[in-house]
Amino acid sequence: MSSEVAARRDAKKLVRSSSGLRMVPEHRAFGSPFGLEEPQWVPDKECPRCMQCDTKFDFLTRKHHCRRCGRCFCDKCCSQKVPLRRMCFVDPVRQCAECALVSHKEAEFYDKQLKVLLSGATFLVTFGNSEKSETMVCRLSNNQRYLLLDGDSHYEIEIAHISTVQVLTEGFPPGEKDIHTYASLLGSQPGSEGGNARATGMSLQYTTPGADGVTQLKLTAGEDANASRRQSTAWLAAMHKAVKLLYESRDQ
């Protein structure tokens, strides 16, 4: 990828909406797949009462719109100002109690897991049914749209085109499967985690524009128990969280 194309992908601009200032991609096509669109606000004339406590709005009791769901609330039910990174707001914005709780939970992904994904980790990478593996560094692109794999070869996989993710684990009781499905973007829910299970890799299925069918990619962490292995395990856990957010984005 040329530096000019990379710069174009990562370019951002500051825009103002009725909800506040947002730092958004300069080109809409390069927006993060984890992002959410601003909701349409419930029209004032359609909400004479708070949609949480049913308090009637009047001259003293003003109505406020939650920036995440767009519904109307009184100040008591919509008083929290919480960061909303998935909508690219520069400053914390007013949210109802329910939405604020969700945004607080998502903040951990942006403050911790996203940094791990951007830093990358080393894996043995296998494509399809090939018996050959290549040592590659896998990381998330700066605009969060692509999974970048660099070794002797270079690959870019668009995150939005990943259809299924399985985390490979070891440490299950005898008789249980070694492949544990954590999340499927096609609709199945994350499975329950084994108490002593340890992530050893990840299997992805994704589509490629213009190609038929799906491609399978397998990432396997090294066997050594050094810092590199710990970094790979942390990257797998962060990717699991990213997949859950992506699933939620598609479901909204």
Side-chain angles (χ1 to χ4, degrees), residues 18 37-43 65-71:
S18 56
E37 294 291 333
E38 282 191 80
Q40 290 289 329
W41 285 10
V42 175
H65 286 85
C66 172
R67 271 49 174 176
R68 185 178 180 112
C69 68
R71 296 185 298 163

Side-chain angles (χ1 to χ4, degrees), residues 66-213:
C66 172
R67 271 49 174 176
R68 185 178 180 112
C69 68
R71 296 185 298 163
C72 283
F73 301 92
C74 65
D75 182 69
K76 181 179 178 180
C77 295
C78 194
S79 61
Q80 298 186 62
K81 289 192 175 182
V82 181
L84 186 45
R85 305 270 290 277
R86 294 186 73 181
M87 290 185 190
C88 304
F89 284 109
V90 175
D91 300 310
V93 292
R94 188 183 292 269
Q95 298 179 53
C96 66
E98 182 179 348
C99 288
L101 181 62
V102 175
S103 294
H104 274 304
K105 291 180 179 179
E106 291 174 349
E108 182 180 359
F109 171 74
Y110 284 94
D111 292 338
K112 297 180 181 179
Q113 283 93 1
L114 183 57
K115 293 178 181 178
V116 172
L117 292 174
L118 293 172
S119 297
T122 302
F123 295 95
L124 288 175
V125 180
T126 308
F127 283 91
N129 297 319
S130 174
E131 296 181 358
K132 293 183 178 181
S133 298
E134 181 179 343
T135 300
M136 308 185 82
V137 173
C138 185
R139 66 179 180 85
L140 191 66
S141 64
N142 290 335
N143 63 9
Q144 306 165 22
R145 290 190 62 86
Y146 298 90
L147 204 57
L148 307 178
L149 296 100
D150 288 293
D152 292 336
S153 308
H154 174 79
Y155 296 92
E156 296 185 6
I157 300 169
E158 192 162 357
I159 293 291
H161 291 164
I162 295 176
S163 56
T164 304
V165 174
Q166 291 181 314
V167 175
L168 281 59
T169 61
E170 63 181 24
F172 280 99
E176 293 195 22
K177 294 181 179 180
D178 290 332
I179 296 181
H180 185 52
T181 303
Y182 269 63
S184 168
L185 302 186
L186 294 179
S188 61
Q189 297 299 313
S192 58
E193 300 183 33
N196 297 317
R198 180 166 62 91
T200 60
M202 180 174 284
S203 177
L204 311 173
Q205 287 187 338
Y206 63 94
T207 58
T208 303
D212 295 328

